[in-house]
């Protein structure tokens, strides 16, 4: 499973766009990039997944450069309720098991 | 409607006791999982079941035994509890075993005294 590196924490303010970058230098050809969000005292929640270029859903966008060695989760106009830990995961395949790293604690300030 | 539910939410017990945590999903998913999140917030998979069959068994002490009576339920039984078992345990499910989109329960905070 590819190792991922993300910032430990980030601070932002309400209404700003937040970009969280994840490095995964040894990503394999068949690997997908998946992001999860975890609020305090709750289980993680799937946000978005992508393989290359750009993916967008109602919650976030995921940007993946051509070499796929990194990815950026973009949260548009964050609110206080977006304060959470965001995990970047890389991998795919049968008997797939999610491997969570330390994640990025995003704190949105008023 | 709760998609993935766990009981109890909190569990406080003494060392050496045996306890169980129950998990149920009403999503019609084929695969269920147990994860452990320790005090440092690392979340690690313990077990995975697909249609009541064990498919992933990480390096977990054999004091931990998952049981799946049907594909909507995956219970976790822990024998001879130790201090190091204190953690938050999350149950999750996914539509198929190869899906990266897993739906997590609210967690069970286990405290062993």
């Amino acid at each position: 499973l590819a190792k991922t590196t993300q910032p430990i924490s980030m601070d932002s303010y309400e209404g700003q766009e937040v970009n969280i970058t994840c490095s995964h230098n040894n990503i394999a050809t068949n690997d997908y990039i998946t992001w999860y969000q975890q609020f305090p005292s709750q289980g993680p929640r799937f946000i978005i997944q992508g393989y290359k270029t750009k993916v967008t859903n109602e919650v976030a966008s995921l940007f993946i450069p051509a070499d796929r060695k990194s990815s950026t989760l973009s949260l548009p106009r964050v609110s206080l309720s977006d304060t959470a830990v965001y995990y970047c995961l890389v991998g795919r395949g049968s008997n797939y098991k999610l491997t969570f790293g330390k994640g990025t604690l995003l704190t949105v300030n008023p | 409607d709760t998609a993935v539910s766990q009981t109890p939410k909190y569990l406080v017990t003494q060392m050496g006791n045996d306890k169980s945590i129950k998990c149920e999903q009403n999503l019609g998913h084929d695969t269920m999982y147990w994860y452990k999140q320790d005090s440092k917030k690392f979340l690690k998979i313990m077990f995975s079941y697909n249609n009541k069959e064990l498919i992933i068994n990480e390096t977990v002490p054999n004091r931990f035994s998952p049981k799946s009576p049907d594909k909507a339920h995956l219970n976790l039984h822990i024998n001879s509890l130790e201090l190091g078992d204190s953690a938050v345990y999350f149950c999750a499910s996914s539509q198929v075993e190869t899906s990266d989109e897993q739906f997590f329960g609210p967690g069970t905070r286990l405290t062993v005294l």
Side-chain angles (χ1 to χ4, degrees), chain B:
Chain B
D1 291 340
T2 304
V4 181
S5 59
Q6 298 178 225
T7 54
K9 187 169 178 61
Y10 299 97
L11 185 54
V12 181
T13 187
Q14 300 287 331
M15 281 176 57
N17 284 349
D18 303 338
K19 291 293 179 185
S20 293
I21 305 172
K22 295 184 177 180
C23 177
E24 176 181 1
Q25 55 96 2
N26 62 6
L27 298 167
H29 288 170
D30 285 344
T31 310
M32 296 184 72
Y33 313 80
W34 276 108
Y35 287 82
K36 177 182 179 181
Q37 188 166 42
D38 60 26
S39 57
K40 296 183 179 179
K41 303 297 184 183
F42 284 112
L43 192 62
K44 297 181 181 179
I45 191 167
M46 301 173 68
F47 301 101
S48 172
Y49 268 72
N50 187 58
N51 273 323
K52 301 195 299 176
E53 184 178 335
L54 181 67
I55 56 173
I56 294 175
N57 184 351
E58 289 298 282
T59 309
V60 178
N62 56 16
R63 298 182 294 104
F64 291 78
S65 54
K67 287 182 170 51
S68 182
D70 55 63
K71 76 172 193 177
H73 296 84
L74 181 62
N75 303 322
L76 183 65
H77 189 75
I78 315 170
N79 290 327
S80 303
L81 279 156
E82 301 177 356
L83 293 176
D85 297 332
S86 295
V88 180
Y89 292 84
F90 289 100
C91 175
S93 72
S94 63
Q95 193 165 11
V96 294
E97 68 181 88
T98 57
S99 174
D100 303 325
E101 183 174 1
Q102 297 183 11
F103 294 78
F104 284 77
T108 295
R109 181 175 293 278
L110 171 65
T111 302
V112 182
L113 303 175

Side-chain angles (χ1 to χ4, degrees), chain A residues 41-62:
Chain A
S41 301
Q42 292 188 29
R45 183 175 74 107
F46 174 92
I47 301 176
I48 197 167
Q49 182 184 66
Y51 182 80
K52 62 180 179 180
T53 62
K54 177 184 175 182
V55 179
T56 298
N57 60 23
E58 64 278 5
V59 177
S61 294
L62 180 59

Side-chain angles (χ1 to χ4, degrees), chain A residues 69-89:
Chain A
K69 293 184 182 299
S70 66
S71 59
T72 299
L73 174 72
S74 181
L75 305 172
R77 296 182 300 281
V78 295
S79 63
L80 296 177
S81 62
D82 291 317
T83 293
V85 177
Y86 291 82
Y87 296 96
C88 166
L89 295 86

